[in-house]
């Protein structure tokens, strides 16, 4: 059920609650950008535990509403179906919100928790969440605290959080301000775990963290060999593009084989230096999905457009902050953007797009892109006048 980007009045909330009450299980409810108030969310709380995948992206979720949801989940725990919860850009912050969130996690079978973009959550919110969680939340396998305002000094909270999530498979920490010491302590905690994807992109990491990174992977392999017989550790992928590491160190990582299946993705530096050829775009998409944030360039746009022409899987592409000009938009469109059939979200904010590029983008939308639902063109010169 998708009611995203719809401003819901109180009567709409009552109607939605009545509809959901008739269904024992609802696979997905998307309430993104519905401008829900805390009172409206509290009204919906009694029926939300039966939703498997709940998306509250870009609403203002206050602590009382989270308390109501936690209480309902706790009371109806045997019949709670919630497995995914998206609270991105929900203005969550502080100790109270974190404790309420921990109660929801403890009362559900939540496997996927997305807190991306809650920039005021910070170290205090992280520490409160880690402290409030029960000793083992064995259901959580995917967690994002990307762009959550984490600052240097959050190592203890990160370690405590990871220890309470023994089956965590993927952890997103992009776009924070982590220090080398925070990541070094985290890597030490992770060396004996099954975590396969660690996203550290666009933090403040420099060459000093590389030794700890390689040591973590080496220790990890040794521990799995001694405890698990002949089977190697599951492959681990660590993403570090957009940091402050020198080219020499990145080259050395690229040259060495860390272990049998492990990989450290660090190619973004070369993208920024325009050292990526057309054949590399597909591998970049494979490694990073649609996230080209801050490291694509005009020279890549024909290649990206060519990839999108024939692609039938990518639904999201982020080209924010890539210094794309009107020429870049033209190259993207002529390369094949307008022929894409599956893209749903395109973001080109914070670039150098003027009126001509904006018109080219509009032409692409009008003449093609049948699946497109949203475009973000904010923070471009076309809006300066």
């Amino acid at each position: 059920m998708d009611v995203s980007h719809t401003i819901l009045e109180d009567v709409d909330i009552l109607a939605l609650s009545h509809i959901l009450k008739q269904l024992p299980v609802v696979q997905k409810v998307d309430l993104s950008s519905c401008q829900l108030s805390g009172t409206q969310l509290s009204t919906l709380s009694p029926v939300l535990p039966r939703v498997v995948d709940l998306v509250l992206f870009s609403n203002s979720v206050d602590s009382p509403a989270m308390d109501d949801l936690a209480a309902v989940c706790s009371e109806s725990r045997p019949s709670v179906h919630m497995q995914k919860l998206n609270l991105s850009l929900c203005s969550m912050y502080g100790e109270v919100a974190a404790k309420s969130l921990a109660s929801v996690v403890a009362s559900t079978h939540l496997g996927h928790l997305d807190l991306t973009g809650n920039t005021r959550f910070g170290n205090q919110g992280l520490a409160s969440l880690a402290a409030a969680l029960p000793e083992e939340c064995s259901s959580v396998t995917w967690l994002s605290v990307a762009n959550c305002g984490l600052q240097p000094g959050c190592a203890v909270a990160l370690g405590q959080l990871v220890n309470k999530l023994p089956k965590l498979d993927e952890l997103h920490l992009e776009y924070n301000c982590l220090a080398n010491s925070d990541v070094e302590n985290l890597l030490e905690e992770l060396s004996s775990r099954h975590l396969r994807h660690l996203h550290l992109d666009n933090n403040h990491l420099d060459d000093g963290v590389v030794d700890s990174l390689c040591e973590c992977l080496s220790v990890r392999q040794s521990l799995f060999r001694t405890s698990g017989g002949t089977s190697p550790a599951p492959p681990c992928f660590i993403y570090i593009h957009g940091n402050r590491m020198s080219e020499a160190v990145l080259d050395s990582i690229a040259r060495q084989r860390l272990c049998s299946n492990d990989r450290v993705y660090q190619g973004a530096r070369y993208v920024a230096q325009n050292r990526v050829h057309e054949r590399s775009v597909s591998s970049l998409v494979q490694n990073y999905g649609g996230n080209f944030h801050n490291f694509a360039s005009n020279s890549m746009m024909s290649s990206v457009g060519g990839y999108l022409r024939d692609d039938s899987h990518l639904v999201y592409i982020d080209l924010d902050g890539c210094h794309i000009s009107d020429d870049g938009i033209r190259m993207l469109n002529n390369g094949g953007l307008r022929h894409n059939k599956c893209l749903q979200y395109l973001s080109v904010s914070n670039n150098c797009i003027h009126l001509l590029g904006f018109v080219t983008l509009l032409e692409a939308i009008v003449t093609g892109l049948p699946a497109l639902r949203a475009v973000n063109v904010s923070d471009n010169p076309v809006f300066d006048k």
Side-chain angles (χ1 to χ4, degrees):
M1 182 179 295
D2 187 350
V3 291
S4 60
H5 304 283
T6 304
I7 298 177
L8 300 176
E9 304 293 341
D10 290 346
V11 65
D12 301 319
I13 295 295
L14 291 172
L16 179 60
S17 178
H18 178 74
I19 292 170
L20 294 177
K21 197 176 293 184
Q22 311 308 311
L23 305 171
V25 182
V26 183
Q27 287 304 311
K28 183 173 183 177
V29 173
D30 189 344
L31 294 165
S32 301
S33 302
C34 287
Q35 299 184 19
L36 294 178
S37 67
T39 303
Q40 289 178 325
L41 189 57
S42 294
T43 302
L44 286 173
S45 291
V47 294
L48 293 182
R50 65 189 68 194
V51 179
V52 176
D53 184 355
L54 177 60
V55 182
L56 294 172
F57 171 87
S58 192
N59 287 288
S60 184
V61 180
D62 58 16
S63 297
M66 286 299 296
D67 286 338
D68 289 341
L69 180 58
V72 172
C73 288
S74 180
E75 291 169 3
S76 54
R77 187 168 185 174
S79 57
V80 171
H81 297 281
M82 190 182 297
Q83 296 177 17
K84 291 185 177 182
L85 179 59
N86 186 334
L87 292 167
S88 303
L89 296 172
C90 283
S91 304
M92 297 189 67
Y93 65 94
E95 182 178 356
V96 177
K99 286 183 177 179
S100 302
L101 180 60
S103 297
V104 172
V105 174
S107 303
T108 63
H109 307 291
L110 208 61
H112 183 117
L113 177 60
D114 192 347
L115 300 174
T116 302
N118 290 288
T119 55
R120 297 172 63 193
F121 196 69
N123 290 13
Q124 181 184 9
L126 186 72
S128 299
L129 176 61
L133 285 174
E135 281 307 309
E136 282 201 1
C137 293
S138 57
S139 61
V140 179
T141 60
W142 193 102
L143 172 66
S144 176
V145 283
N147 194 23
C148 277
L150 302 184
Q151 301 293 322
C154 63
V156 173
L158 273 175
Q160 186 179 7
L161 183 65
V162 167
N163 276 328
K164 290 188 174 183
L165 304 175
K167 293 187 178 179
L168 191 64
D169 182 72
E170 185 162 349
L171 175 60
H172 288 257
L173 293 165
E174 309 98 308
Y175 297 101
N176 286 296
C177 296
L178 302 181
N180 282 6
S181 57
D182 300 315
V183 175
E184 288 166 358
N185 287 328
L186 176 63
L187 289 169
E188 188 174 340
E189 293 286 348
L190 294 175
S191 60
S192 61
R193 297 187 173 274
H194 283 77
L195 188 95
R196 293 190 303 156
H197 296 273
L198 176 61
H199 297 260
L200 297 169
D201 316 305
N202 294 284
N203 277 279
H204 290 179
L205 309 178
D206 58 33
D207 293 354
V209 79
V210 173
D211 287 342
S212 296
L213 186 151
C214 296
E215 177 68 16
C216 165
L217 295 175
S218 176
V219 169
R220 190 170 178 274
Q221 283 290 324
S222 299
L223 286 172
F224 274 87
R225 285 196 191 99
T226 56
S227 63
T230 57
S231 299
C236 181
F237 305 115
I238 300 179
Y239 306 80
I240 57 172
H241 76 265
N243 283 291
R244 298 174 176 176
M245 298 173 187
S246 67
E247 187 170 344
V249 166
L250 293 177
D251 280 335
S252 71
I253 293 176
R255 285 195 300 269
Q256 64 180 304
R257 188 86 170 158
L258 292 171
C259 44
S260 58
N261 293 310
D262 296 331
R263 293 192 64 183
V264 177
Y265 291 122
Q266 45 74 37
R269 188 175 187 87
Y270 304 108
V271 179
Q273 296 176 354
N274 299 320
R275 291 168 58 182
V276 172
H277 304 290
E278 288 190 18
R279 65 179 181 274
S280 302
V281 171
S282 60
S283 64
L284 284 169
V285 172
Q286 181 180 0
N287 293 344
Y288 301 122
N291 183 10
F292 288 82
H293 191 108
N294 280 339
F295 69 84
S297 61
N298 262 2
S299 62
M300 287 182 62
M301 290 303 100
S302 289
S303 302
V304 173
Y307 180 89
L308 291 173
R309 172 191 290 272
D310 303 315
D311 178 70
S312 59
H313 301 288
L314 202 64
V315 296
Y316 171 93
I317 188 160
D318 180 347
L319 293 166
D320 297 348
C322 293
H323 304 288
I324 300 170
S325 66
D326 292 352
D327 281 341
I329 294 296
R330 175 182 55 79
M331 294 161 65
L332 180 67
N333 191 34
N334 291 344
L337 172 66
R338 64 181 182 273
H339 299 293
N340 183 277
K341 304 298 183 187
C342 63
L343 194 67
Q344 296 181 19
Y345 182 85
L346 171 64
S347 185
V348 290
S349 72
N350 193 26
N351 282 294
C352 307
I353 303 170
H354 293 78
L355 183 59
L356 183 59
F358 187 66
V359 170
T360 303
L361 197 56
L362 282 176
E363 288 175 351
I365 295 170
V366 170
T367 60
L369 299 172
L372 196 69
R373 295 174 54 191
V375 182
N376 182 4
V377 293
S378 60
D379 297 319
N380 278 288
V382 69
F383 297 112
D384 288 349
K385 296 182 180 179

